[in-house]
Amino acid sequence: MFNAAVHAEALRTSRSYGFDVSVPPVDWRGLVTRRQEFIGRLNKVYLNNLNSSKVDVLSGYGKLIGSRTVSVNNEVITAPHIVLAVGGTPTAAPFPGAEHTINSDQFFDIKELPSKVAIVGAGYIAVELAGFLKELGAKTEMFIRGEKVLRHFDQLVRDTITSEYERSGIIVHRNSRIESVSRHNTLTVKTSTNTFEGFDHVIVAIGRRPLTDGIGLEESGVTLNDRRAIVVDKWQNTTAEGVYAVGDATSNGWELTPVAIAAGRRLADRLFGNTPNASIDYCDIATVVFSHPPVATVGLTEEEAIQQFGAQNIKVYHSTFVDIFYGIVPSEQKQKTHIKLVCAGENEKVVGIHLVGRNVDEIIQGFAVAMRMGATKSDLDACVAIHPTAAEELVTLPEWGKINGKPVLPRSAL
């Protein structure tokens, strides 16, 4: 859906590049059909991979029923190692009229592009939904409890995405508490201060909860925390001997598919690969929000860096510019790219990178590798820029080649 919205954006800017094209309404039904067909092909690929690896697949409802024992469709299976990877599900709407709403999973069942849609929530799922629905032609309104979206991200991200969404035409209702949703032909949203009418759909995206109820975890000695997430240590061990857990249903705090995959790989290395110390490093994991424009981030926010190292030991570098892609498009279509580099200590080690703008979702991966390897601001400065690109701004941030006004040679020249 993000890519569909990217195509819609490209159609609008293509006129400035000499292409006399109209922007027709999106064929929502066709798009949904092709998306589901693609997902179906992926499912078959994964199933074929399991079969070719001689993995037995049992489809059914699984439940722990004791030490190293699982029941699936009344079939009892024992094994020395059991891995829980049950994932999560959208948090239910907590207000009257919830039956008139849909959640972020049910969004994929929508058969027609909404004329007008309400998004309840301010996290990355809500932001992504609002972004591509607006770009594809739906009148979009967001209802958020605070002043800004993406409250767990750096202030640059919070400020930029909130303002960019409003600039794009998304109506953001700040400090809004939903009191009820009712249906009278269309849907009406009532908040503590006002009433808003005429919505085709109200999509609730206020978080996700672990799918840990009713599968025998606590009865089998697996401890859950206050969120009902499975408590694990750095090795993915639960509190039950021989039972491990990875993914969104665990207490590690990361609800990202690549994190679950990496944790599973390291667990397999430890259990079966003769690598007893293998474990995933949860520090400095890069992540992307597929908003419009997208967000990419890795490491500490400025606020977290100040708390960890002290304000006097932090230096922050900024850059804001218009990507050359928008150089010849009308001013109302120009989109700025924002960069923040958070550095700590006398040698200005990079401890946080925060980007908003075109293609930052592709830029962040390489810089995340550099940061994990201990890159300093001087190391970035020593890298010759690729011009003209947005990524070059990360290696040309002023003051270039200096720390506190004094020239610094790259480590390779020392």
Side-chain angles (χ1 to χ4, degrees):
M1 304 306 286
F2 171 80
N3 286 331
V6 169
H7 278 78
E9 291 176 299
L11 283 171
R12 287 190 284 273
T13 56
S14 66
R15 295 171 184 168
S16 298
Y17 281 89
F19 295 93
D20 185 16
V21 296
S22 62
V23 184
V26 63
D27 175 12
W28 182 270
R29 283 183 175 269
L31 172 61
V32 169
T33 298
R34 288 185 288 274
R35 181 195 64 206
Q36 294 308 112
E37 289 173 347
F38 175 69
I39 293 172
R41 291 196 299 273
L42 286 180
N43 290 338
K44 290 180 181 178
V45 168
Y46 291 132
L47 186 59
N48 289 337
N49 288 342
L50 290 172
N51 291 333
S52 63
S53 299
K54 296 181 172 56
V55 175
D56 293 329
V57 179
L58 301 179
S59 298
Y61 188 86
K63 183 175 182 179
L64 280 180
I65 58 173
S67 177
R68 295 184 167 94
T69 306
V70 176
S71 171
V72 182
N73 300 336
N74 297 320
E75 180 179 351
V76 176
I77 301 167
T78 60
H81 305 291
I82 295 174
V83 180
L84 304 171
V86 293
T89 190
T91 302
F95 43 76
E99 67 274 13
H100 302 304
T101 71
I102 61 174
N103 60 39
S104 54
D105 285 354
Q106 294 166 325
F107 159 79
F108 292 102
D109 297 327
I110 295 177
K111 303 303 182 186
E112 300 286 348
L113 175 67
S115 174
K116 184 178 179 182
V117 62
I119 309 291
V120 180
Y124 74 93
I125 294 177
V127 167
E128 289 178 350
L129 288 170
F132 62 67
L133 281 167
K134 168 62 178 64
E135 292 300 329
L136 292 176
K139 296 178 181 178
T140 306
E141 301 186 19
M142 297 187 72
F143 293 83
I144 65 176
R145 290 186 300 174
E147 281 287 331
K148 308 284 176 63
V149 299
L150 300 174
R151 63 188 178 93
H152 294 300
F153 287 73
D154 189 88
Q155 183 176 343
L156 168 73
V157 173
R158 301 194 303 267
D159 291 348
T160 302
I161 293 300
T162 304
S163 63
E164 277 295 313
Y165 270 32
E166 290 180 319
R167 186 179 77 89
S168 74
I170 295 173
I171 298 174
V172 179
H173 301 286
R174 305 166 188 249
N175 303 308
S176 292
R177 301 269 178 176
I178 307 298
E179 291 192 347
S180 67
V181 173
S182 57
R183 178 178 290 281
H184 307 282
N185 294 323
T186 57
L187 296 172
T188 297
V189 175
K190 186 178 186 301
T191 70
S192 55
T193 58
N194 213 331
T195 299
F196 305 89
E197 301 176 338
F199 298 106
D200 298 316
H201 292 284
V202 175
I203 305 174
V204 177
I206 55 176
R208 297 177 67 84
R209 62 175 180 82
L211 275 170
T212 53
D213 293 335
I215 56 174
L217 299 186
E218 292 168 300
E219 296 86 345
S220 301
V222 176
T223 299
L224 305 180
N225 65 13
D226 293 341
R227 290 186 54 249
R228 306 287 296 167
I230 302 165
V231 176
V232 293
D233 61 15
K234 66 175 291 186
W235 313 105
Q236 309 303 141
N237 297 315
T238 71
T239 51
E241 187 72 22
V243 179
Y244 318 92
V246 299
D248 293 8
T250 66
S251 59
N252 66 55
W254 289 93
E255 297 183 12
L256 298 170
T257 299
V259 174
I261 293 171
R265 285 174 171 169
R266 293 293 176 257
L267 178 61
D269 290 340
R270 182 167 71 85
L271 297 180
F272 308 110
N274 196 29
T275 314
N277 293 321
S279 66
I280 181 175
D281 182 359
Y282 286 105
C283 181
D284 295 337
I285 294 174
T287 186
V288 165
V289 181
F290 289 100
S291 47
H292 294 272
V295 170
T297 180
V298 61
L300 302 177
T301 66
E302 182 179 352
E303 297 93 328
E304 290 169 341
I306 290 173
Q307 185 176 12
Q308 183 168 329
F309 298 103
Q312 71 278 11
N313 298 313
I314 295 297
K315 186 164 184 180
V316 178
Y317 295 86
H318 295 270
S319 178
T320 301
F321 58 95
V322 175
D323 191 296
I324 195 170
F325 176 86
Y326 299 104
I328 60 174
V329 306
S331 57
E332 65 270 14
Q333 292 181 345
K334 292 183 187 293
Q335 193 179 91
K336 292 182 178 179
T337 297
H338 302 260
I339 289 174
K340 176 187 273 192
L341 198 68
V342 182
C343 302
E346 291 185 2
N347 67 341
E348 296 191 353
K349 179 182 178 181
V350 180
V351 297
I353 302 173
H354 308 280
L355 314 174
V356 181
R358 186 174 183 270
N359 290 337
V360 299
D361 47 314
E362 296 289 351
I363 293 171
I364 194 65
Q365 190 78 80
F367 284 96
V369 173
M371 199 180 92
R372 286 184 59 87
M373 295 177 69
T376 64
K377 171 65 163 57
S378 298
D379 291 327
L380 298 188
D381 291 348
C383 182
V384 177
I386 302 170
H387 183 76
T389 65
E392 71 176 300
E393 294 288 329
L394 275 161
V395 299
T396 57
L397 287 165
E399 282 183 315
W400 180 85
K402 296 180 180 181
I403 295 180
N404 296 324
K406 297 180 180 180
V408 176
L409 294 175
R411 282 187 275 187
S412 60
L414 297 178

